[in-house]
Amino acid sequence: MQLPLDLTLVDSNLLQAELSKLATYSQAEAPAVTRVVYSVQDLEARAYLKGLFMGAGLEVRQDAVGNIFARWPGENEARPAVGTGSHVDAIPNAGMYDGTVGVLGSLEAIRVLKRSGFRPLRSIELLMFTSEEPTRFGIGCLGSRLLSGALSPEAARALKDNDGHSLDKARANAGFTGMLEEVALPAGYFSHFLELHIEQGKILESEGASIGVVESIAAPASLRILVEGEGGHAGGVLMPDRRDALTGAAEIVLAVERLARATGSVDTVATVGMCEVSPGAVNSIPSRVTLWVDLRDTELARRDGVLNEILSTCSAVAERRGIAIQHEMLNADAPTECSPEITGLIASSCRRQGIRHRAIVSRAYHDSLFISRIAEVGMIFIPCRGGVSHRPDEYASPEDIARGVLVLAETLGALAGAV
Ligand code: HGY
Ligand code: MN
Ligand code: MN
């Protein structure tokens, strides 16, 4: 591979057109993007992507949950492949760059290598992961968890969506057949895996850096908390006689925020992103409230310390208010370190290209967090305006995306080895 690769090898206009087209497959009005796994729009997006992958001369297949593989065979097919990719599902009212920059950026990085005359020794395989977002089945990274063995087929079968449909039923309705047992990748399938992604934070932009060399990915956890009190007439039940589920839940919501702040570390973050109240009438005392809590930290022990404090706060509130509070852990994953071999290659590509870069932690989780169980992983971050993500005004500039693609292409080339 003739290094440095020239930035003009990146067809930025083509990539922008593909990102814009992909954004039209959405359940929301532009500029918002909503694309929930196995929805009509998700299936349309998949068909579009498979067409692009085949158009680039890649060998395309998909597995029983809809992870899509697009392979550029290397001279030596027997050796573990070098993987790259991300996701295209989008939470409600999101933006058009989260995940998609990694899928279409990987495709463009492969096209850059092809345009440069590079021929890989190891195969390079693009992966579009199914259901990275927790929106439908309540757990993030469903596809990469199954691929890496982090989630068993039995546990996956127990998952249900908000309408009570099982994963098996939902995927069958979307046309994905085959046994879940066939999804896990064999040992040594990938030697390395690289993911290009927007930072979803504002460090790069605030420091004027164009590339973030991700060194570690924070430890995500999420849980569901059910608060049950006693319903009743909003006029007839006097205050001393009440066991209001929502005021109890409100104490927990504030405690989640307080306990995350109390660690004194900026790396501890906690959010109550969803709250369901029933019966849900203005003149009826809430009898039942469900909260969904998202808790993360770069340090596992500190995260679990906050988790335990949240749970003991629930017990204290239940006791004091005479209500019942139970919780169900949805996931509690360990953090991961990225491969020094890969971070070194990313940084040397940035130096070669004269691109300002800095080491960075990923506070968002990504499919790479789970693929790190079966391969060496690395992530390349690009800035997003104001650090905004999971919002319609999420934005990454064509120039930053092109630089990310170029660094990805050079790093993939270095890992795949040339003939
Ligand atoms: O929530 C996350 O960190 C990712 O964007 N799904
Ligand atoms: Mn996301
Ligand atoms: Mn993402």
Side-chain angles (χ1 to χ4, degrees):
M1 176 168 65
Q2 192 57 37
L3 290 175
L5 291 174
D6 192 309
L7 187 58
T8 57
L9 283 170
V10 179
D11 187 338
S12 198
N13 292 334
L14 173 64
L15 179 50
Q16 288 299 312
E18 291 168 346
L19 283 164
S20 302
K21 178 69 180 165
L22 181 55
T24 64
Y25 301 116
S26 167
Q27 296 147 273
E29 284 298 307
V33 176
T34 300
R35 193 164 43 240
V36 178
V37 66
Y38 303 146
S39 62
V40 167
Q41 293 77 7
D42 178 42
L43 300 181
E44 288 169 345
R46 290 163 178 271
Y48 172 63
L49 289 171
K50 285 189 275 193
L52 294 182
F53 298 158
M54 286 184 276
L58 303 178
E59 295 171 2
V60 179
R61 71 179 179 87
Q62 62 191 19
D63 68 15
V65 287
N67 291 307
I68 298 175
F69 300 77
R71 193 176 187 94
W72 182 8
E75 291 296 311
N76 187 335
E77 269 274 60
R79 296 179 67 170
V82 176
T84 184
S86 193
H87 67 98
V88 299
D89 61 318
I91 70 169
N93 206 40
M96 64 177 274
Y97 297 95
D98 173 8
T100 58
V101 160
V103 175
L104 289 170
S106 294
L107 174 62
E108 182 56 18
I110 288 171
R111 291 186 297 218
V112 163
L113 288 170
K114 284 176 175 255
R115 290 181 198 121
S116 74
F118 175 81
R119 283 175 39 226
L121 191 58
R122 292 173 184 275
S123 299
I124 294 177
E125 190 158 62
L126 201 171
L127 237 179
M128 188 226 78
F129 295 99
T130 262
S131 196
E132 189 271 352
E133 299 292 3
T135 312
R136 183 161 183 182
F137 292 102
I139 185 170
C141 298
L142 177 58
S144 50
R145 287 176 190 267
L146 281 165
L147 285 167
S148 63
L151 182 73
S152 69
E154 297 70 33
R157 267 193 203 95
L159 294 173
K160 294 228 184 307
D161 68 11
N162 315 327
D163 300 324
H165 296 147
S166 69
L167 170 62
D168 274 348
K169 181 165 169 47
R171 69 188 179 93
N173 289 347
F176 298 106
T177 55
M179 299 296 290
L180 293 182
E181 283 71 12
E182 295 159 2
V183 174
L185 293 175
Y189 184 88
F190 285 127
S191 55
H192 305 83
F193 184 84
L194 268 157
E195 183 167 6
L196 172 65
H197 206 285
I198 56 172
E199 179 195 342
Q200 296 178 306
K202 52 187 172 186
I203 292 172
L204 294 178
E205 182 184 64
S206 63
E207 294 185 5
S210 301
I211 293 285
V213 185
V214 178
E215 295 201 314
S216 63
I217 304 173
S222 65
L223 60 153
R224 194 180 7 239
I225 296 177
L226 175 61
V227 182
E228 291 175 296
E230 186 175 4
H233 192 290
V237 180
L238 304 181
M239 294 312 280
D241 303 331
R242 292 190 177 200
R243 294 191 299 122
D244 184 326
L246 184 52
T247 49
E251 281 202 57
I252 295 166
V253 172
L254 290 174
V256 166
E257 181 187 55
R258 175 175 47 79
L259 292 167
R261 288 176 189 271
T263 69
S265 165
V266 286
D267 292 332
T268 315
V269 286
T271 315
V272 178
M274 289 161 61
C275 173
E276 270 177 11
V277 182
S278 63
V282 67
N283 55 352
S284 175
I285 302 167
S287 56
R288 185 186 168 90
V289 172
T290 308
L291 301 173
W292 281 263
V293 182
D294 179 305
L295 167 64
R296 313 178 190 203
D297 199 314
T298 51
E299 274 184 34
L300 190 57
R302 198 167 49 208
R303 185 204 67 195
D304 288 347
V306 173
L307 178 59
N308 291 332
E309 288 177 301
I310 290 171
L311 297 181
S312 46
T313 303
C314 289
S315 314
V317 169
E319 172 82 22
R320 182 160 33 79
R321 287 176 168 268
I323 55 179
I325 302 181
Q326 330 163 46
H327 77 279
E328 180 198 352
M329 288 308 301
L330 301 173
N331 70 289
D333 303 291
T336 199
E337 299 293 318
C338 292
S339 151
E341 176 195 6
I342 300 179
T343 54
L345 287 170
I346 296 169
S348 52
S349 172
C350 291
R351 283 192 292 274
R352 195 165 39 239
Q353 293 288 346
I355 294 173
R356 268 193 75 178
H357 59 287
R358 60 102 83 197
I360 198 165
V361 165
S362 175
R363 292 188 172 82
Y365 59 72
H366 302 282
D367 292 304
S368 293
L369 176 63
F370 298 97
I371 298 300
S372 69
R373 292 166 174 244
I374 56 172
E376 296 293 311
V377 301
M379 290 196 75
I380 298 167
F381 273 0
I382 60 169
C384 50
R385 188 175 56 200
V388 164
S389 182
H390 283 189
R391 275 178 22 191
D393 52 338
E394 179 184 270
Y395 176 78
S397 72
E399 296 74 21
D400 280 330
I401 294 171
R403 275 188 285 268
V405 167
L406 187 65
V407 171
L408 175 61
E410 287 205 339
T411 310
L412 284 175
L415 291 168
V419 180

